[in-house]
Amino acid sequence: MPAPSAPIAPRALILRAPGTNCDHETAHAFEAAGAIAERVHINRLIENPALAARYQILCFPGGFSYGDDIAAGKILANRLQHHLADLVQEFALGGRDSLVLGICNGMQVMMRLGILTRGVTADGDETVDDSGPMGDDPHVPATLTWNQHGRYEARWVHLAVDPRTPCVFLKGIRRMYLPIAHAEGNFVAASADMLDTLAARGRLAVRYCGEDDSEPLISEEPLEFPLNPNGAMANVAGVCDPSGRVFGMMPHPERFIDPTQHPFWTRMEQPADEGEGMAIFRNAVGYFA
Amino acid sequence: MPLWQIDIYPADGFIDREGQRVAEQIRELGLGDEIEVDFSRGFLVEGDLQTAAVERMAESLLSDRVTERVVVAMTGDESLAEPPGDNPTLVHVLPKPGVMDPVAQSAEAAARDAGWPVAAIRTLRKYWLPELSEDRLAAICRRALSNDSVEQVVVGPLELTQLRFDGRYEFSLVVVPIRELDDEGLARLSKEGQLYLTLVEMQTIRDHFRSLDRDPTDIELETIAQTWSEHCSHKTLAGRIHYRGPSPDGRPGGDERRYANMLKETIFAATQHLRASAGEDDRCVSVFKDNAGVVRFDDAYHVCFKVETHNHPSALEPYGGANTGLGGVIRDPMGTGLGAKPVCNTDVFCFAPPDTPVDSLPPGVLHPRRVINGVVAGVRDYGNRMGIPTVNGAIYFDPRYLGNPLVYCGNVAMLPVGMEDKQVEEGDLIVALGGRTGRDGIHGATFSSAELTSESESLSGGAVQIGNAITEKMVLDVLLQARDRKLYNAVTDCGAGGFSSAVGEMGEELGAEVWLEKCPLKYEGLSYTEIWISEAQERMVLAVPPEKWQSLRELCESEGVEAAAIGRFVGTGNLTLTYHGHHVGELAMSYLHDGRPPVVRDAVYEPPEFVPLDPPKLELESANQILADILGSLNVASKHWVIRQYDHEVQGGSVVKPLVGPRCDGPGDAAVVRPLLDSRRGLVISCGMNPHFGDFDTYHMAASAIDEAVRNAVAVGADPATIAILDNFCWGYTDRPETLGSLVRAAIACQDVAIGLGTPFISGKDSLNNEFSYLDESGTKRSISIPPSLLISAIGQMDDIGTAVTMDLKSAGNAIYLVGDTHEELGGSHYSLVTDQPGGQVPRVNISLARCTFTAMHQTIQRRLVRSVHDLSEGGLAAAAAEMAMAGRLGISLDVSELDAAGDPLSDAAKLFAESNSRFLVEVAPDRQAEFVETLHQANVPVRAIGQVDSSDRVRISIADKQFIDQEIETLLRRWKNPLNW
């Protein structure tokens, strides 16, 4: 029997900027899932935006881009807006069949750009106007602000995927256990109506949840710390655009690729074959199969 | 040019976190219980901008529209002085001109990026307070709102009209007429010039210039002072010392030793001995010569490790001191060999207790709570931003750290095999890479070698700095690319002494000429000498072949990193300094490095007289209480509040985290890190320290610290044969023979134990004169010396991270074994601390038994015979058992009656709480018990079955039929977690 021809591996652009610091392990995770991952400095793209044409996946990795000075992710978003708006537009707004993933600082950047919350107004109305998010002066109707307790926090959290979500990255995943490490991860929407609209469309794609199934996995009421580690409205840990191809999350899936990254793997008689974060990268690669 | 102010307040309905935090701090510092504070952060923006543009900048760039609101006006406008609430008193806090303000720098760049023509931006903070008396307001400003070593306070409206200051510098060569000075004049010059050199050294310099028939320039004198400083040359410990101490059998003065170079003949000698006897198996690559110690890891990589202290700066400005302390030690491995890639950090702090009464603080001392908050935040912000996980650490408390907190920062990094050596070539350009040079950090090296006084803040404020981690991250990113493209021949970090030390060291063999006007400056106005000795952060110095310079410059430009050729290595043997063509300094390298007169010191050690400790009879109630008190004591209490502020998983290599167990809250013994994501080979990082033992005998303190560091590493799975260690001595005023004596005695212990365990020292650092002196109310001079504080940091390796174990109990029904012998050693223990009993025998190390124990324990771990392992340290067996139960949320029940088989009968207190070294508690599943016991028996290592894990919610320990400990795990957890749950 002839061997099935291997699907062509998608190429992932891991965007690097001053202060990015999760680019290596994120590239490693994409490669473990079968993608070809390349770490590219933002200055290379500004010099030559056409470089991006060879990639199917755009990834904003974690870190402290530009020190998170002013606000987390703000300056990188500002730079993208003023120098690479077309490029982001093309990946994010369906110029072609592509995926965008932001992790932690990457999600913060995407929130500041408005590409995660696009299509919904501050009042919760849905719009089809796609020019807004990457405009010169985006009025982003939601934000990631300081953690409720006012500190940077590193800890593992339980996550549930909203079954309604169109998110490509979360296909087939029900729940996950992953680490967070951030100071500004507290999701705040401008209004309850806006939150409702996003929720109804499954765009509040991944939520902090309880450690077992005794409570509903998806809860609009904020859970207590530390289950909800930052006080996010509706326990939001990740948000996607209407298409589900553009997704940002605060937890770090690239930090749970190997079973020994689990915080108490030494208790397990038989640790899993791979970490729970792998599924997200496999979904990304699988999308292009 | 217009100067705008943008105030940013929380929007309606959002919490004012900074206001609440400051109010809380004011309350904690005893400055007022009911003071509410309103806060705004803000920016001063100078530029030809219209109102609309500034408003847009405020709304779209500088603030968050969902959670914040802005007030925009020209400075001085009434709208800016309008209170947001009921509080009428307005206090502004701004960084002093010249102090690093990364947010302002970034905001400036971002505003220009967006097309706004800003000339300058500065940040500011505004606090609105109730009406207060002048004294109270001043105290709040000084103690809670600002730090006057780096910040300025303006009460009331801000009357600032411009941000940029034109500080032109007019060149004029300064010559110091040293040839004519007598001893008094020399002493005055040393002190007033902040040279901090001894009289003998000053005389040597004077005589040197007399022989040259000229006077030195200021820059020459400064260069000598930097190079000869304690900080840079370690002249005391590497100097001549005549030591007299007790003989092994305790006879006073029975041990007399004369050292020509104390460190070399003790600690370094031990390493040489071990390397020679290891032959082919020698794992050391580069020891005690480069910026970090280097050992073999695998075929492709070596691993580097360095720990530094940053004590003096942290005492004055805890945030900046700790921030730049970590930033500085990260540059050490970056400057080791041809440059290593950092993979994890360690941090150990020593503080005075946070409940120190405010009114008991000597003048010039910051409250410990503020020091703790600042130090933790400083380390957090640098490590997290650099993307280097902070995986291991410890915190010790003692009132004697009040004026001199200790901040030890360490970094581990990977260096490709073949890149361990560097060689400067004649003709190489001297290239400064990274941050610009400013007036910050002037005299840091000489200042850190001096004693702190209540005047230190005003005297040496310039030595205090704030770091910019992103600049260093950018430097790291290009450095590793340049290294792999072989664009330079040598690299070193710019640390204490600035260019003076870095260039002086790199050019020691050849000679160097430096064109000082070529150094990129943060602002105008620096003199040629300030440029030369500034310790501005985030700089590296490279030796670049001229033909590679263009490529290097392009690489740096491509990532926005500044690089400048500031001189050339030349074969003159001289250090030649020029400024715009003026010849400002000429020193022979040989004089600089070998001209210092040897320091000759006497050292005497006499252990304090032995005071017996007869523990009172224990009962269930008292033993329960003692255990709870130990778990709730500051040294033992959970450090989760600190640990969770550090990213310990970035880079993806985390295997055993600082907090372990099913609830992620057990105190792990050591960290395990997988530095290469495609390999199963692991690094183990641990530490050992116990300042309390030093009050009894610094020999046993040092031995115990090494034992603790090694047993912590072994407990998680490190192969003891791979372990290498670092020493960091922080001591008091070593000009006193008895203080130096206590240090030499510790160094002798280091030598003995390192050889005995086969564990080489690979690097080290000392920080001396950690004393704080002040005048008390009656005008009498008082000083507080820190206790002898030796930190031992260990780095071990494991072939397969899959064999790592943790200390949390795993399952009911497993047996608990005690490995190692227990002695009547309660001296310096936490038992004696919480029961306030002086005296007792301080724990000693049986070196040969320790070595057998570590080897055998490792065998049992490698053969997967154990389910959990925990080392016994503060609080002894009872505390270790409680910690294992708390971490695993499983009950434990022990009978420790058979512990005294080692010889003398033990008191009940010793059985429960003695801190004898080289011991482990081990959990073993039923089907592995026979093999486990057999393995230890074969190695002649004492092992005793003392109980089992159960499914109860209690910790129970009995001696024969009598119950001594019986407590709920949850109760103990609360005691353990509460003290530092801030």
Side-chain angles (χ1 to χ4, degrees):
Chain A
M1 209 167 69
S5 62
I8 294 167
R11 304 180 82 93
L13 188 167
I14 317 293
L15 184 75
R16 199 157 72 75
T20 302
N21 63 33
C22 302
D23 45 328
H24 281 280
E25 56 269 39
T26 304
H28 179 83
F30 269 113
E31 300 218 312
I36 296 166
E38 288 172 341
R39 300 160 43 248
V40 180
H41 196 282
I42 185 172
N43 290 358
R44 298 296 77 68
L45 289 178
I46 292 176
E47 285 159 15
N48 180 13
L51 272 185
R54 55 202 294 250
Y55 300 95
Q56 290 79 48
I57 302 168
L58 172 63
C59 175
F60 300 104
F64 285 79
S65 54
Y66 299 92
D68 280 359
D69 297 335
I70 300 179
K74 183 72 199 178
I75 297 180
L76 179 51
N78 186 62
R79 263 182 93 65
L80 290 166
Q81 231 159 48
H82 292 285
H83 299 283
L84 291 167
D86 291 347
L87 187 153
V88 175
Q89 200 89 332
E90 197 181 300
F91 272 98
L93 301 190
R96 54 203 174 92
D97 201 15
S98 52
L99 296 180
V100 185
L101 173 64
I103 300 169
C104 195
N105 195 237
M107 179 185 184
Q108 292 165 334
V109 172
M110 291 169 79
M111 284 292 293
R112 311 285 179 223
L113 285 170
I115 55 178
L116 290 176
T117 47
R118 78 183 171 88
V120 181
T121 68
D123 300 326
D125 298 332
E126 290 185 271
T127 65
V128 287
D129 175 18
D130 274 350
S131 64
M134 286 301 297
D136 198 27
D137 182 16
H139 285 257
V140 183
T143 191
L144 292 165
T145 189
W146 273 84
N147 296 347
Q148 195 74 38
H149 65 27
R151 288 191 307 275
Y152 183 95
E153 177 92 11
R155 70 163 58 243
W156 283 64
V157 292
H158 295 277
L159 298 164
V161 174
D162 189 325
R164 297 167 289 190
T165 192
C167 183
V168 169
F169 295 89
L170 298 172
K171 210 173 106 185
I173 304 174
R174 187 169 162 271
R175 54 187 304 157
M176 289 179 287
Y177 188 46
L178 294 176
I180 56 126
H182 61 245
E184 298 171 62
N186 178 357
F187 181 85
V188 178
S191 69
D193 288 342
M194 184 198 174
L195 202 65
D196 289 346
T197 307
L198 288 171
R201 294 283 179 258
R203 291 178 58 188
L204 306 178
V206 60
R207 319 279 190 99
Y208 304 111
C209 70
E211 57 194 281
D212 54 39
D213 288 355
S214 60
E215 302 286 332
L217 284 181
I218 302 296
S219 155
E220 310 302 325
E221 276 308 303
L223 299 165
E224 293 286 311
F225 179 88
L227 291 177
N228 176 337
N230 50 34
M233 282 183 176
N235 305 299
V236 172
V239 178
C240 68
D241 80 340
S243 75
R245 294 181 305 100
V246 178
F247 174 51
M249 64 191 292
M250 290 310 296
H252 285 273
E254 82 284 10
R255 294 188 184 182
F256 191 21
I257 298 301
D258 190 275
T260 63
Q261 290 167 317
H262 188 286
F264 45 95
W265 67 273
T266 57
R267 300 182 70 77
M268 298 168 184
E269 292 294 337
Q270 193 63 52
D273 289 338
E274 64 181 28
E276 293 175 23
M278 263 312 280
I280 285 179
F281 298 96
R282 287 198 192 287
N283 277 335
V285 172
Y287 178 77
F288 296 98
Chain B
M1 202 178 281
L3 181 59
W4 297 88
Q5 183 171 337
I6 299 168
D7 289 345
I8 303 170
Y9 289 95
D12 288 344
F14 288 89
I15 320 166
D16 180 356
R17 277 192 198 83
E18 176 65 7
Q20 287 180 353
R21 189 192 65 79
V22 167
E24 174 74 8
Q25 184 151 333
I26 291 171
R27 197 186 55 71
E28 281 166 2
L29 294 174
L31 296 168
D33 283 342
E34 305 279 314
I35 295 182
E36 284 188 12
V37 183
D38 298 311
F39 173 77
S40 78
R41 64 191 181 95
F43 295 88
L44 294 166
V45 180
E46 193 171 10
D48 284 319
L49 296 157
Q50 302 301 311
T51 315
V54 184
E55 280 173 352
R56 262 246 329 255
M57 188 193 306
E59 283 172 9
S60 71
L61 179 64
L62 300 176
S63 71
D64 188 309
R65 281 181 212 212
V66 180
T67 59
E68 294 174 320
R69 68 179 178 88
V70 296
V71 180
V72 175
M74 305 271 279
T75 45
D77 191 276
E78 279 175 15
S79 62
L80 298 167
E82 213 153 281
D86 299 332
N87 287 328
T89 310
L90 172 57
V91 177
H92 298 86
V93 180
L94 300 90
K96 282 184 176 168
V99 167
M100 169 71 73
D101 185 354
V103 174
Q105 279 183 12
S106 294
E108 248 177 59
R112 290 187 194 124
D113 211 31
W116 288 298
V118 300
I121 292 186
R122 254 170 99 187
T123 62
L124 84 164
R125 309 197 300 273
K126 280 170 75 164
Y127 299 92
W128 295 89
L129 303 165
E131 259 179 84
L132 296 164
S133 71
E134 209 171 299
D135 289 354
R136 175 88 78 88
L137 181 61
I140 288 176
C141 288
R142 195 176 67 246
R143 289 195 184 274
L145 303 187
S146 72
N147 186 322
D148 47 8
S149 59
V150 288
E151 291 168 333
Q152 65 190 84
V153 170
V154 178
V155 177
L158 193 62
E159 283 160 11
L160 207 63
T161 53
Q162 62 165 30
L163 294 185
R164 289 160 310 143
F165 293 91
D166 292 326
R168 282 274 162 73
Y169 168 69
E170 299 258 337
F171 173 75
S172 99
L173 186 65
V174 180
V175 174
V176 185
I178 198 175
R179 286 178 297 170
E180 65 198 37
L181 294 182
D182 58 8
D183 287 355
E184 198 187 320
L186 289 172
R188 196 178 321 119
L189 175 61
S190 174
K191 185 156 189 247
E192 288 172 3
Q194 295 190 44
L195 304 174
Y196 299 113
L197 292 170
T198 64
L199 182 59
V200 178
E201 288 162 344
M202 290 299 289
Q203 288 166 339
T204 308
I205 296 168
R206 178 191 60 195
D207 297 346
H208 176 69
F209 282 96
R210 278 181 180 165
S211 75
L212 295 179
D213 212 15
R214 67 174 178 95
D215 276 318
T217 61
D218 57 344
I219 201 170
E220 290 173 332
L221 203 51
E222 291 279 7
T223 305
I224 298 169
Q226 302 286 340
T227 314
W228 292 6
S229 69
E230 184 64 63
H231 193 99
C232 294
S233 75
H234 303 278
K235 55 196 173 190
T236 301
L237 301 192
R240 290 189 199 160
I241 294 176
H242 177 203
Y243 167 80
R244 276 162 300 146
S247 59
D249 59 11
R251 198 160 42 82
D255 183 14
E256 182 167 1
R257 307 181 190 212
R258 288 173 196 277
Y259 296 106
N261 178 330
M262 195 277 291
L263 281 182
K264 203 169 176 180
E265 292 162 46
T266 54
I267 291 173
F268 188 44
T271 301
Q272 298 295 70
H273 173 88
L274 290 171
R275 293 190 72 177
S277 54
E280 292 276 289
D281 295 331
D282 177 21
R283 304 190 60 84
C284 297
V285 175
S286 167
V287 292
F288 292 102
K289 73 172 191 208
D290 210 330
N291 290 311
V294 186
V295 295
R296 284 194 282 153
F297 182 71
D298 64 10
D299 290 343
Y301 285 93
H302 300 312
V303 60
C304 313
F305 194 14
K306 180 60 175 266
V307 176
E308 286 264 12
T309 52
H310 221 215
N311 306 331
H312 287 47
S314 303
L316 297 184
E317 211 302 281
Y319 180 86
N323 197 243
T324 54
L326 182 56
V329 81
I330 292 168
R331 289 194 301 278
D332 276 323
M334 283 167 66
T336 295
L338 288 170
K341 182 187 181 219
V343 292
C344 57
N345 295 326
T346 71
D347 296 287
V348 174
F349 310 135
C350 300
F351 299 126
D355 56 359
T356 305
V358 178
D359 48 22
S360 73
L361 295 180
V365 163
L366 296 175
H367 192 272
R369 251 194 120 92
R370 236 187 121 183
V371 175
I372 295 166
N373 273 306
V375 164
V376 169
V379 163
R380 174 194 66 204
D381 286 355
Y382 215 101
N384 292 354
R385 278 173 170 68
M386 281 294 288
I388 304 171
T390 297
V391 300
N392 182 252
I395 307 181
Y396 299 90
F397 293 89
D398 188 295
R400 289 168 288 178
Y401 295 118
L402 188 60
N404 270 286
L406 302 184
V407 175
Y408 299 88
C409 299
N411 181 260
V412 176
M414 305 305 286
L415 180 68
V417 170
M419 294 204 177
E420 56 271 22
D421 294 317
K422 52 189 158 198
Q423 182 72 47
V424 176
E425 300 290 343
E426 191 172 346
D428 282 354
L429 292 168
I430 302 171
V431 172
L433 187 71
R436 291 186 161 205
T437 299
R439 200 168 273 133
D440 34 1
I442 303 270
H443 285 139
T446 53
F447 161 68
S448 73
S449 309
E451 194 180 335
L452 277 181
T453 72
S454 51
E455 305 287 305
S456 293
E457 188 281 312
S458 45
L459 196 66
S460 302
V464 176
Q465 304 183 62
I466 310 284
N468 187 346
I470 298 309
T471 304
E472 187 149 306
K473 175 71 166 84
M474 292 164 73
V475 169
L476 174 64
D477 290 348
V478 297
L479 185 80
L480 295 180
Q481 295 176 61
R483 176 196 73 186
D484 293 340
R485 288 169 55 189
K486 301 188 171 24
L487 296 182
Y488 55 86
N489 286 333
V491 57
T492 199
D493 67 303
C494 236
F499 288 136
S500 163
S501 293
V503 176
E505 266 170 45
M506 286 177 93
E508 185 175 349
E509 309 288 322
L510 278 172
E513 57 180 48
V514 181
W515 320 310
L516 292 162
E517 75 282 0
K518 303 279 191 198
C519 303
L521 301 182
K522 291 179 182 171
Y523 35 80
E524 292 294 298
L526 270 72
S527 74
Y528 59 91
T529 301
E530 288 175 315
I531 294 170
W532 182 234
I533 64 170
S534 159
E535 296 176 8
Q537 296 290 309
E538 289 95 26
R539 301 177 304 168
M540 303 293 289
V541 176
L542 310 181
V544 180
E547 69 275 14
K548 304 276 178 74
W549 170 222
Q550 183 63 21
S551 305
L552 178 69
R553 192 158 51 182
E554 282 168 12
L555 170 64
C556 291
E557 269 168 21
S558 79
E559 300 208 358
V561 174
E562 199 153 16
I566 62 165
R568 190 189 301 277
F569 292 103
V570 291
T572 59
N574 277 3
L575 176 65
T576 307
L577 304 172
T578 65
Y579 182 74
H580 287 294
H582 302 281
H583 190 223
V584 296
E586 186 83 31
L587 289 164
M589 285 290 188
S590 57
Y591 179 72
L592 203 50
H593 293 284
D594 305 320
R596 180 171 54 74
V599 174
V600 183
R601 293 254 191 282
D602 272 327
V604 178
Y605 185 75
E606 257 183 74
E609 200 177 329
F610 181 77
V611 179
L613 189 161
D614 286 321
K617 198 167 154 36
L618 283 178
E619 299 295 338
L620 175 62
E621 198 181 339
S622 56
N624 266 338
Q625 184 65 41
I626 290 168
L627 174 61
D629 288 348
I630 289 174
L631 293 175
S633 68
L634 290 168
N635 291 330
V636 177
S638 170
K639 308 297 186 296
H640 62 275
W641 175 83
V642 179
I643 294 168
R644 293 213 176 279
Q645 296 191 57
Y646 298 153
D647 189 343
H648 43 265
E649 293 170 294
V650 61
Q651 299 194 17
S654 173
V655 176
V656 172
K657 303 178 206 306
L659 295 170
V660 302
R663 314 298 301 178
C664 301
D665 58 1
D669 287 317
V672 180
V673 171
R674 184 169 51 113
L676 310 170
L677 294 183
D678 50 6
S679 160
R680 308 306 289 171
R681 191 166 179 81
L683 288 172
V684 178
I685 293 97
S686 65
C687 60
M689 182 170 182
N690 200 327
H692 296 107
F693 293 175
D695 294 336
F696 291 76
D697 189 330
T698 50
Y699 186 96
H700 299 306
M701 175 189 82
S704 298
I706 299 172
D707 190 273
E708 186 186 9
V710 173
R711 72 179 184 254
N712 272 324
V714 168
V716 298
D719 177 353
T722 64
I723 296 176
I725 50 179
L726 308 181
D727 64 79
N728 282 87
F729 290 89
C730 288
W731 241 256
Y733 194 56
T734 44
D735 281 1
R736 264 196 313 264
E738 51 275 30
T739 303
L740 185 58
S742 69
L743 192 156
V744 174
R745 182 158 168 86
I748 293 170
C750 288
Q751 181 180 12
D752 294 349
V753 179
I755 290 175
L757 292 182
T759 305
F761 281 93
I762 56 168
S763 183
K765 199 79 196 251
D766 53 85
S767 163
L768 308 181
N769 304 328
N770 286 288
E771 301 214 358
F772 181 82
S773 61
Y774 62 101
L775 298 180
D776 71 6
E777 283 158 5
S778 67
T780 317
K781 183 176 171 178
R782 306 224 167 250
S783 50
I784 314 172
S785 172
I786 63 162
S789 306
L790 172 64
L791 171 68
I792 299 292
S793 308
I795 185 158
Q797 299 175 25
M798 52 201 305
D799 294 336
D800 177 6
I801 50 165
T803 60
V805 281
T806 52
M807 51 70 73
D808 47 306
L809 292 180
K810 302 298 189 300
S811 33
N814 287 346
I816 299 289
Y817 292 85
L818 174 65
V819 174
D821 276 337
T822 307
H823 305 280
E824 187 70 29
E825 292 174 323
L826 291 167
S829 68
H830 270 61
Y831 163 82
S832 73
L833 223 62
V834 303
T835 57
D836 202 15
Q837 297 181 77
Q841 172 62 51
V842 70
R844 293 149 300 185
V845 177
N846 176 336
I847 302 174
S848 58
L849 179 58
R851 185 170 189 160
C852 298
T853 305
F854 297 149
T855 306
M857 271 306 298
H858 180 61
Q859 280 172 9
T860 68
I861 291 171
Q862 259 206 323
R863 288 195 222 144
R864 298 174 197 264
L865 305 181
V866 306
R867 289 297 284 137
S868 65
V869 180
H870 192 24
D871 96 300
L872 272 62
S873 51
E874 286 98 340
L877 185 146
E883 286 172 349
M884 293 173 81
M886 292 190 301
R889 296 297 195 284
L890 281 166
I892 192 167
S893 135
L894 307 176
D895 178 346
V896 296
S897 44
E898 301 297 323
L899 259 54
D900 43 8
D904 300 332
L906 295 174
S907 66
D908 292 341
K911 287 175 179 169
L912 295 169
F913 302 117
E915 299 185 7
S916 297
N917 284 297
S918 321
R919 295 185 302 159
F920 300 91
L921 273 184
V922 187
E923 175 191 358
V924 185
D927 59 342
R928 302 291 160 92
Q929 287 162 13
E931 193 181 347
F932 172 77
V933 171
E934 180 57 24
T935 306
L936 292 165
H937 277 167
Q938 275 184 4
N940 288 319
V941 173
V943 54
R944 297 175 175 85
I946 59 169
Q948 54 279 316
V949 184
D950 61 44
S951 51
S952 78
D953 58 357
R954 308 189 77 80
V955 175
R956 283 177 290 207
I957 308 178
S958 64
I959 297 177
D961 296 336
K962 187 169 169 187
Q963 201 72 31
F964 282 90
I965 304 286
D966 188 358
Q967 296 222 64
E968 267 188 25
I969 290 171
E970 281 302 323
T971 311
L972 294 173
L973 266 168
R974 270 197 301 277
R975 278 303 300 273
W976 180 67
K977 282 193 175 181
N978 273 344
L980 296 172
N981 191 23
W982 291 5

